[in-house]
Amino acid sequence: MCESNVYLKDGENEVMIMESVDTIVPCENGLNLMDIMGRQLFVPAKIKGMTLLNHRIILEKLT
Amino acid sequence: MCESNVYLKDGENEVMIMESVDTIVPCENGLNLMDIMGRQLFVPAKIKGMTLLNHRIILEKLT
């Protein structure tokens, strides 16, 4: 399966906030995430980078 | 392999601009893409949405 884990950058750390994410849809104030089970999460953040082969998507908080 | 294909929205159409993308890094004026072969592409666009299980990442041009 090709879902990714989503991490939020907090200083030097990257904290996983959601596993097995399928869809990401940016909206005005952040990102709407949905995992493969259909669970949804809104995060006031933007995408900092992703490496899909490593299943990693890194977010950073919106300032 | 869990790379995605990247499409640029052009009106009602979605045109594939890069296959087998591994990494995406947003920068000031757009996105830097790199595929699994290490080829790089800069696109003056932002992420409109992605469905990783479908290997689809949709971009839209920056206005």
Side-chain angles (χ1 to χ4, degrees), chain B residues 29-63:
Chain B
N29 302 310
L31 302 167
N32 287 304
L33 313 180
M34 190 170 67
D35 72 11
I36 58 173
M37 302 298 289
R39 286 178 289 239
Q40 296 186 44
L41 179 66
F42 170 77
V43 191
K46 62 181 178 178
I47 294 169
K48 182 175 170 60
M50 63 183 78
T51 57
L52 297 173
L53 298 184
N54 292 333
H55 303 265
R56 288 174 67 82
I57 297 176
I58 311 297
L59 310 183
E60 62 184 354
K61 293 175 192 168
L62 286 174
T63 49

Side-chain angles (χ1 to χ4, degrees), chain A residues 21-59:
Chain A
V21 171
D22 173 21
T23 73
I24 298 180
V25 179
C27 61
E28 192 177 352
N29 301 311
L31 302 167
N32 286 305
L33 314 181
M34 191 170 66
D35 72 11
I36 58 173
M37 301 299 290
R39 286 178 289 238
Q40 297 185 42
L41 179 66
F42 169 78
V43 191
K46 61 181 180 178
I47 294 169
K48 182 175 168 62
M50 63 183 77
T51 58
L52 297 174
L53 297 185
N54 292 333
H55 302 265
R56 287 175 68 82
I57 298 176
I58 311 297
L59 310 183

